[in-house]
Amino acid sequence: MSDEVERGRGNVPVQYHQFDITDEDGATGPDLERQHNGLVRVADGVTVIMTGIHTGDVDVTVTLHESEPAPDEGDWQDIVEISAHSASGELMVRGMMDDLDEELPVLSFNGPGHYRLRVHARGRDRAADLAPDEVTEWYLIQAWPAATVTEATVIRQTDGYGASVRAR
């Protein structure tokens, strides 16, 4: 029996190799440098998902869970897990400079507090540094409530783009 409470999927606009996870009322977590894992960083209180493409749309699926789910066993190239905080209860996936055509589910579905986010990525090498007209990258973000903040955890690192970000 799955503890999944909600799922949503949509295209998210990317600019400058990123899309964001933000909370309007406060920082989502302490700073985490891009070199840590090459997929997720936290800068100035914003959680940033680093994409291979420079500009365009990526396909993002969000799943919300009552408790920690297993990582998706699909063909994900990079998987990183981080802690995130929501002051307002509105921790959301957002484009850096553009709104989403349709909002994805709110990651902080249990209201204000701590959450764990597991970010899966694939396709970041397909059109790295380009602005493709079609979707070339896919992301899955699993979210669940957490009692405390814990260290970022790398589960898988296999794509070339992530390796290049870690080397900078």
Side-chain angles (χ1 to χ4, degrees):
M1 182 92 174
S2 171
D3 71 342
E4 186 177 304
V5 295
E6 190 174 356
R7 172 182 292 260
R9 180 177 175 191
N11 286 345
V12 174
V14 167
Q15 288 88 21
Y16 300 102
H17 291 279
Q18 73 182 57
F19 66 92
D20 300 335
I21 296 173
T22 64
D23 185 286
E24 295 295 325
D25 286 350
T28 59
D31 283 356
L32 178 65
E33 297 297 322
R34 63 189 302 129
Q35 293 85 359
H36 177 273
N37 60 67
L39 175 59
V40 182
R41 70 183 175 110
V42 181
D44 298 324
V46 175
T47 299
V48 176
I49 310 303
M50 295 174 280
T51 64
I53 65 170
H54 181 278
T55 307
D57 287 337
V58 295
D59 182 299
V60 177
T61 299
V62 168
T63 61
L64 309 178
H65 303 266
E66 292 292 342
S67 60
E68 180 180 356
D72 188 283
E73 293 296 325
D75 56 349
W76 301 104
Q77 295 170 303
D78 281 33
I79 305 172
V80 173
E81 196 174 289
I82 67 161
S83 290
H85 180 75
S86 178
S88 70
E90 294 291 321
L91 186 68
M92 299 180 70
V93 173
R94 301 179 195 279
M96 186 176 142
M97 293 188 275
D98 290 329
D99 292 332
L100 279 60
D101 290 337
E102 291 185 36
E103 287 188 0
L104 293 168
V106 174
L107 298 170
S108 53
F109 64 97
N110 268 0
H114 296 294
Y115 290 83
R116 197 74 175 156
L117 306 178
R118 186 179 297 130
V119 181
H120 305 64
R122 72 170 169 259
R124 294 193 306 163
D125 294 337
R126 291 184 63 192
D129 300 323
L130 301 177
D133 291 330
E134 70 282 342
V135 170
T136 60
E137 296 181 32
W138 294 264
Y139 296 84
L140 167 64
I141 302 171
Q142 296 173 311
W144 63 94
T148 61
V149 174
T150 56
E151 295 286 322
T153 305
V154 175
I155 298 170
R156 184 179 301 155
Q157 292 179 319
T158 62
D159 73 19
Y161 184 77
S164 72
V165 171
R166 290 187 302 276
R168 294 181 196 165

